[in-house]
Every structure is written in structure tokens, then in C-alpha cells.
Amino acid sequence: MDPFADEWADDNDATGAATTPEPQQAAPARAKRRRSARKQPPRELVFPTVADFVEGYFAPTIRRNLHGSATWCPRWWAHPEALLRMTAVWRAWEHLRHDPALGISNWLLQHADPHLRVLMDGDNGPLAACSPEGHSRYAYEPLPLEPADPAMWLAPALSAPPKS
């Protein structure tokens, strides 16, 4: 599948034409689609890995001035937080690309833009010690931690429910 070939188009029929029911039928039809969607196998991914997504779609699509306060690292995958954030951006894209109405907008506003602000922050972001010309070791040390009393994690709000 070509990731640039209208990935936000409606895939309800072969022509790409929307098959929206009449307004009085819309709510029951949506509920039926939700029920049947739960029974369907997961949709095939356009990009099998986050690296494929970054190289095949994200980097060619997202353009930023990297000579100001924004930065990037060509070895973004060597930074744990950057890898985590790019994985979240990729997975959101894979899910939201199926929404022909608001998918791209939601992806940009709720996922790509907030993560890009953090990733490319040249002062405090996970890539702050790097530049587009090359990788540098981590800009900051990991967050300091002190162990908590193990009994604290027994509270229902702070632990997973027991397996039955």
C-alpha cells in the first residue's frame, strides 16, 4: 500500500464512495459496525515497524527548520524516550488512518504535534544534546528514583486486579 495514496479515504467500498446511512439509521448502523468491528481480525499495518514508518512516511512528510530552537537526531531510535514517542505516533497513525472524516486531523492535533513539540525541543527534549548532523549521548541523566514502601502498591488504584 502506498502511504501517500489517500490513506485517509473511506474504505467502505471499492470506489471509495462513502456509504453513510440515512440520519435516522445512522446510530443503529454505527452500533452494529462497532459490534462487528470487535469480532474482526486486526487490520494489516501499512508499516510493519516504527522504523519503517519514520523512514517511509514521517521523515519525508514532516518538515521543520532545524537551524533554530528545534532539533532532531538521525539516530532517534537510540534515545529511549524518542523511540517510545515515535512508536506512539506510528501506532496512532496506523489506527486513525481508517477514519476518513477526522483521522488525519486527530492524528496531527492529538498525537503528532504534541509529541513533536517534546521530541524536537532543543532545550529540554530527549534529543536536546543532538543535532541534525549527528548523535550525541543523552542530554540528561535518567530521572532520580527512591524505592517506595511495597505495601503502597497493594492499593487497588495502584495495582492490577488479581488474576482469577
Side-chain angles (χ1 to χ4, degrees):
M1 172 184 230
D2 179 1
F4 296 100
D6 201 10
E7 69 272 10
W8 306 103
D10 189 349
D11 57 359
N12 289 336
D13 67 17
T15 65
T19 55
T20 307
E22 293 300 317
Q24 66 271 18
Q25 299 170 338
R30 278 193 305 269
K32 184 178 179 181
R33 280 194 307 271
R34 280 195 302 268
R35 284 191 301 274
S36 67
R38 283 184 233 138
K39 298 174 189 171
Q40 295 174 355
R43 293 180 175 171
E44 189 172 322
L45 299 174
V46 172
F47 298 99
T49 69
V50 64
D52 292 327
F53 170 73
V54 172
E55 293 168 13
Y57 185 81
F58 191 81
T61 304
I62 303 298
R63 311 282 175 110
R64 295 293 185 273
N65 174 3
L66 298 176
H67 302 293
S69 62
T71 193
W72 183 253
C73 179
R75 294 183 61 196
W76 58 272
W77 41 264
H79 301 268
E81 183 181 351
L83 179 59
L84 178 66
R85 287 181 177 277
M86 288 309 304
T87 300
V89 168
W90 163 58
R91 289 177 183 258
W93 183 88
E94 289 285 0
H95 177 76
L96 291 170
R97 70 186 175 85
H98 297 286
D99 179 352
L102 297 173
I104 192 167
S105 181
N106 284 334
W107 180 74
L108 287 166
L109 295 173
Q110 303 299 319
H111 302 279
D113 289 348
H115 286 294
L116 274 173
R117 278 192 292 276
V118 173
L119 281 169
M120 300 182 93
D121 182 337
D123 293 325
N124 295 305
L127 309 175
C130 295
S131 74
E133 289 76 38
H135 172 72
S136 181
R137 198 73 179 124
Y138 307 118
Y140 306 104
E141 294 296 318
L143 298 174
L145 299 174
E146 290 185 13
D149 178 354
M152 176 180 170
W153 306 118
L154 299 177
L158 303 175
S159 61
K163 293 180 182 178
S164 50

